[in-house]
Amino acid sequence: MDDAYSTQLTAGESVEASGLEQLMALKEGDTFLVADGWGDMRGGADGLFAGDTRALSRWVMSVGQLRPSRLSSGVSQDNVFFSCHTTNRPLPPMGGRSAPAGVLHIERRRFLWGRRMFERVQMTNHGVEDVLLPLSFEFGADFADIFQVRGTPRPRRGTIHPPEMDGRRVTFRYTGLDAVERRSCLAFSEPPARLTATRADFMFSLPKGRQVELFVECGVDSCEAPDPTRWRLNAIQARLAMRAKRRRGATVRGPRSPRFNDWLDQSRADMALLTTDLPTGPYPYAGTPWFSTPFGRDGIIAAWQMLWLDPSLAKGVLTYLASRQATETSAFQDSQPGKIMHETRGGEMSALGEVPFGLYYGGVDTTCLFIALAGAYASRTADLDLIRRLWPNLIAAADWMRDYGDSNGDGLIDYQRGADTGLSNQGWKDSEDSIFHADGRFPKGPVALLEVQGYAFAAWRALADLGERLHDDRAPEWRMRAEQVRALVEEKYWMEDQGFYAVALDGDGQPCRAIASNAGHLLFTGLPSAERARKVTKRLLSAEFRTGWGIRTLELGQARYNPMSYHNGSVWPHDTAMAAAGMANYGERAAVAEILSEIFDAATHFHLRLPELFCGFARTPGEPPIAYPVACLPQAWAAGSVFLMLQAALGLSIDAWTGAIDMADPVLPDGLERLLIRDLTVGDATVDLAIQRVDGRSVVIPRKARGQISVRTLR
């Protein structure tokens, strides 16, 4: 993610001090909410956000002036509901005896729908006497921009107007420096006994054995009167919408592996949570809480991971990115005509140009990946209608690769940020210290990253294939360009003494000889020769890279290696998955299945939800993987990793042009004896595939084929 605002602990800061270890997130559309394990928001790195603006910055519940004792809390597996179960501490005397601790059950349950938070507080008296229950909420709305929340200073802000109170309702207003008035409104189903601009106090009479409920809504722009009916109807809509997203495309199940199924379900639910249905189609937002917005690279890779199961994501991503393609040159935005966006934001600071991320193009790889995904999507679906509609965008992207992406004319795609406000490193490893020479020196620009050349190779080949189908006479030229890129990479990046590729070339054309996982992405594109791919695979599978939980981003012993760093020795599930898929391209199956098992083992220690990254320490028997304290969770390309690795282990490829599904030497991971893929669609045909282990080999059995489709097992 962006080094301009990636979250990392500073020296000496503890996990507890960071305040992030308990944060739980909900998301719906462009609205998301971050709160602690009690459901409280205290104005730190939390709150209710809409349009990259914090609409509710403080929301803290107390019982008898004290925080209740938490029993449990969490987010439902479908990611719709947050709930927290608490009990009371001793209550102050209210005209009689004090209620003892532990007699009241207080449940907070909330969800998001229609740009608003719905919350229900359910209070049950399990004691032997009637209770007077004092319940209070502190609240506030600072309308901070998301970049301000993440630490970017602002010398000036707009005007926060005094809250307006109306019985059981409080309205907050802020007029920004962009002259836009932003509103939010907080409403209660019962009138508080006392309501101020920052606090609501209630006094509930709770007879023994009885239950009372309080409903709360916080909406952006407007307020409705909350009640049980509104709660129920909106909760049904939220759950049905999430269920519909989870059911898109084919499904995968391990019939006799409950935990593996739970991992698949959680990963699918996380992808559904992060997917927002835009006018251009579904788009997987990068991650919550701080990257809940369309990112170019992240969206493309997440859609590619899911392509074999659900092509609709790729269609939505391609269509959206085409609509945001750059048409002019801007150093501030790092844009040139034809370039595909890196990120878009909607807050006040972006609108004012205080940060460049309103529509930012500082990703050197996204344009190449855009073309490559279009080619992969067409092979998966044979949807030439979409390709024809996107053809001007694909040609413009190719023109950017030719005219702007290669700034020094050496035939390689490179980058050097246009303004100091932009990203200094513009590949997926975009932290400031992620690209360096073998001795740790940072390279002078422009920098030509290894994996980006692989993406360019894949893009030129995809464009040539599509051009041939569309009878474009430029197709031979594009195929020739792909081979030119291949030759340049093999000549300039290969280090014979290391049996590996350099991570980048610097501005002088000298290789940055650091040994990094970027070479796994090169395998993913199919650029290396078979002999060199075998050498790279062997090294990626060595103990210097492989932790037992996945593959490190940087080899053990390299300069700047740090297993606790963001990019220099940590494990990123999507990076491991792309390396595994790359190995599978060259026939490696058994090791890919082993890596899939290792990542599954890691997932079991993260409640079956893979984080953005975790630390790259070697696996120790009986001990869990070590978390990276402020990793995004969930994140789209982490959630999609299991599906890409599963496809790689099965050797599964789909050619919609011929209506064929090929399974090349499939291997099931250890502990998984059977796998069932349901409703795998190719064109107008659908088939179920049962894969099971028989005499040590994985056998594929097609079932319920509907339409013309062929399934071939290749050995």
Side-chain angles (χ1 to χ4, degrees):
M1 286 298 161
D2 293 341
D3 67 342
Y5 56 101
S6 62
T7 307
Q8 302 192 53
L9 291 181
T10 57
E13 183 183 8
S14 68
V15 177
E16 291 77 13
S18 73
L20 294 179
E21 85 287 353
Q22 292 285 344
L23 291 188
M24 299 185 185
L26 297 175
K27 174 189 171 295
E28 192 274 319
D30 287 321
T31 305
F32 69 92
L33 183 151
V34 186
D36 66 18
W38 279 261
D40 289 338
M41 297 172 270
R42 296 177 174 271
D46 51 10
L48 173 65
F49 294 81
D52 288 325
T53 300
R54 187 158 60 183
L56 187 66
S57 55
R58 188 165 181 83
W59 180 242
V60 179
M61 186 185 81
S62 58
V63 178
Q65 309 302 317
L66 298 173
R67 168 174 268 195
S69 297
R70 185 170 59 151
L71 303 173
S72 70
S73 62
V75 175
S76 59
Q77 190 180 51
D78 64 2
N79 289 316
V80 174
F81 292 99
F82 164 83
S83 60
C84 176
H85 296 268
T86 65
T87 187
N88 65 295
R89 302 177 190 274
L91 296 179
M94 294 289 176
R97 293 170 52 191
S98 171
V103 298
L104 302 180
H105 173 230
I106 305 164
E107 181 198 16
R108 296 177 78 174
R109 189 167 175 84
R110 72 166 61 120
F111 65 94
L112 300 179
W113 184 249
R115 289 169 59 85
R116 67 182 59 238
M117 175 190 79
F118 291 81
E119 181 159 335
R120 183 189 69 194
V121 183
Q122 196 173 73
M123 299 153 277
T124 307
N125 182 1
H126 293 286
V128 297
E129 295 183 345
D130 298 348
V131 170
L132 285 175
L133 171 62
L135 187 75
S136 299
F137 293 91
E138 298 174 28
F139 50 76
D142 63 1
F143 296 97
D145 186 280
I146 193 166
F147 289 97
Q148 186 180 358
V149 175
R150 300 307 304 135
T152 302
R154 295 192 73 190
R156 293 177 57 232
R157 285 202 67 202
T159 301
I160 295 181
H161 303 284
E164 300 169 5
M165 290 160 288
D166 179 16
R168 64 184 70 183
R169 182 180 336 205
V170 182
T171 301
F172 309 96
R173 292 188 302 120
Y174 167 75
T175 304
L177 297 178
D178 57 356
V180 174
E181 183 174 277
R182 294 168 173 87
R183 290 172 174 256
S184 61
C185 182
L186 185 64
F188 303 93
S189 61
E190 301 291 334
R194 180 172 178 267
L195 180 64
T196 72
T198 60
R199 186 180 176 98
D201 294 311
F202 297 85
M203 183 65 71
F204 291 102
S205 176
L206 207 56
K208 61 183 180 180
R210 299 292 296 275
Q211 182 182 88
V212 297
E213 294 178 326
L214 174 69
F215 294 89
V216 184
E217 293 184 24
C218 183
V220 177
D221 299 328
S222 64
C223 237
E224 301 291 340
D227 59 40
T229 301
R230 281 184 53 79
W231 162 273
R232 184 175 63 257
L233 293 178
N234 283 278
I236 290 171
Q237 291 185 67
R239 180 148 266 173
L240 289 176
M242 184 65 76
R243 185 179 300 169
K245 285 196 276 188
R246 292 179 66 185
R247 290 180 175 176
R248 287 173 178 159
T251 60
V252 187
R253 307 294 293 172
R256 296 182 182 177
S257 181
R259 289 290 280 170
F260 191 79
N261 284 339
D262 288 344
W263 184 32
L264 294 174
D265 289 343
Q266 185 66 65
S267 299
R268 203 67 183 261
D270 287 348
M271 191 66 77
L273 171 73
L274 295 169
T275 297
T276 297
D277 289 325
L278 302 173
T280 48
Y283 200 107
Y285 283 11
T288 58
W290 312 123
F291 306 108
S292 187
T293 189
F295 274 74
R297 177 194 305 120
D298 298 64
I300 289 171
I301 290 177
W304 206 323
Q305 292 170 327
M306 301 298 296
L307 181 60
W308 67 287
L309 292 169
D310 180 13
S312 70
L313 282 182
K315 184 176 183 178
V317 167
L318 290 167
T319 306
Y320 178 82
L321 292 178
S323 73
R324 311 305 294 270
Q325 191 170 30
T327 58
E328 59 185 18
T329 298
S330 166
F332 182 65
Q333 292 179 298
D334 261 318
S335 68
Q336 296 99 21
K339 199 173 185 183
I340 298 299
M341 71 156 217
H342 171 66
E343 170 185 4
T344 184
R345 292 286 184 174
E348 178 188 1
M349 293 176 70
S350 296
L352 292 170
E354 295 178 29
V355 293
F357 303 110
L359 191 53
Y360 181 61
Y361 294 86
V364 69
D365 48 5
T366 310
T367 308
C368 305
L369 284 167
F370 172 74
I371 300 174
L373 178 64
Y377 170 80
S379 296
R380 172 63 181 86
T381 63
D383 183 2
L384 270 183
D385 289 340
L386 178 66
I387 298 303
R388 288 190 183 97
R389 291 201 301 273
L390 295 179
W391 196 241
N393 304 98
L394 294 170
I395 296 301
D399 289 345
W400 176 86
M401 291 170 60
R402 182 194 64 206
D403 299 336
Y404 296 97
D406 177 12
S407 69
N408 56 14
D410 64 356
L412 301 169
I413 305 294
D414 55 44
Y415 68 89
Q416 186 163 297
R417 66 179 173 184
D420 289 344
T421 51
L423 301 177
S424 55
N425 280 319
Q426 298 191 355
W428 86 262
K429 294 179 179 177
D430 53 13
S431 51
E432 292 182 345
D433 63 347
S434 62
I435 305 300
F436 48 87
H437 284 280
D439 60 3
R441 288 180 297 114
F442 295 131
K444 62 176 290 189
V447 175
L449 290 169
L450 171 69
E451 75 276 14
V452 175
Q453 315 319 315
Y455 303 153
F457 166 76
W460 290 122
R461 281 210 311 183
L463 202 64
D465 290 343
L466 295 173
E468 289 172 356
R469 293 193 176 274
L470 296 177
H471 308 292
D472 192 309
D473 57 12
R474 292 168 290 184
E477 175 195 344
W478 296 328
R479 199 168 301 283
M480 180 184 68
R481 284 185 176 274
E483 292 309 312
Q484 289 173 342
V485 172
R486 186 204 297 268
L488 283 170
V489 171
E490 297 286 46
E491 173 193 350
K492 295 180 177 293
Y493 289 81
W494 182 252
M495 301 180 292
E496 187 62 38
D497 60 326
Q498 296 287 342
F500 210 78
Y501 291 94
V503 70
L505 300 184
D506 68 12
D508 294 324
Q510 295 302 306
C512 299
R513 292 172 57 87
I515 307 297
S517 65
N518 305 53
H521 294 233
L522 197 69
L523 299 183
F524 178 78
T525 67
L527 181 149
S529 67
E531 178 185 358
R532 289 182 175 178
R534 282 193 296 270
K535 292 181 178 179
V536 170
T537 295
K538 182 178 180 180
R539 193 150 183 178
L540 287 173
L541 293 175
S542 70
E544 283 70 31
F545 266 113
R546 194 170 168 187
T547 66
W549 303 115
I551 294 173
R552 295 184 180 98
T553 51
L554 186 68
E555 187 181 61
L556 181 71
Q558 294 291 302
R560 299 189 179 275
Y561 171 78
N562 179 353
M564 301 174 290
S565 68
Y566 201 52
H567 287 128
N568 292 336
S570 54
V571 174
W572 288 64
H574 92 278
D575 182 48
T576 292
M578 292 187 75
M583 297 175 198
N585 284 341
Y586 294 87
E588 180 60 65
R589 294 278 182 272
V592 169
E594 289 176 8
I595 293 171
L596 174 56
S597 295
E598 292 173 359
I599 289 286
F600 169 56
D601 290 344
T604 62
H605 291 285
F606 292 112
H607 306 290
L608 300 176
R609 171 180 272 175
L610 284 171
E612 175 188 21
L613 74 156
F614 48 89
C615 293
F617 293 105
R619 185 171 184 170
T620 301
E623 296 184 13
I626 298 173
Y628 187 82
V630 289
C632 282
L633 190 71
Q635 192 178 46
W637 64 15
S641 296
V642 56
F643 303 107
L644 181 60
M645 284 187 288
L646 197 55
Q647 180 187 13
L650 296 176
L652 188 150
S653 60
I654 299 173
D655 182 358
W657 305 117
T658 62
I661 301 172
D662 288 339
M663 307 280 281
D665 195 20
V667 177
L668 289 171
D670 289 343
L672 191 65
E673 298 300 316
R674 296 181 61 206
L675 195 71
L676 181 61
I677 303 170
R678 286 195 178 98
D679 299 322
L680 189 60
T681 300
V682 182
D684 295 328
T686 304
V687 68
D688 295 352
L689 299 177
I691 304 100
Q692 62 186 66
R693 202 187 308 272
V694 178
D695 296 330
R697 302 184 72 180
S698 297
V699 178
V700 181
I701 305 170
R703 295 176 176 173
K704 299 181 182 178
R706 298 167 289 282
Q708 292 296 114
I709 192 168
S710 64
V711 180
R712 302 176 296 191
T713 303
L714 309 177
R715 299 289 179 183

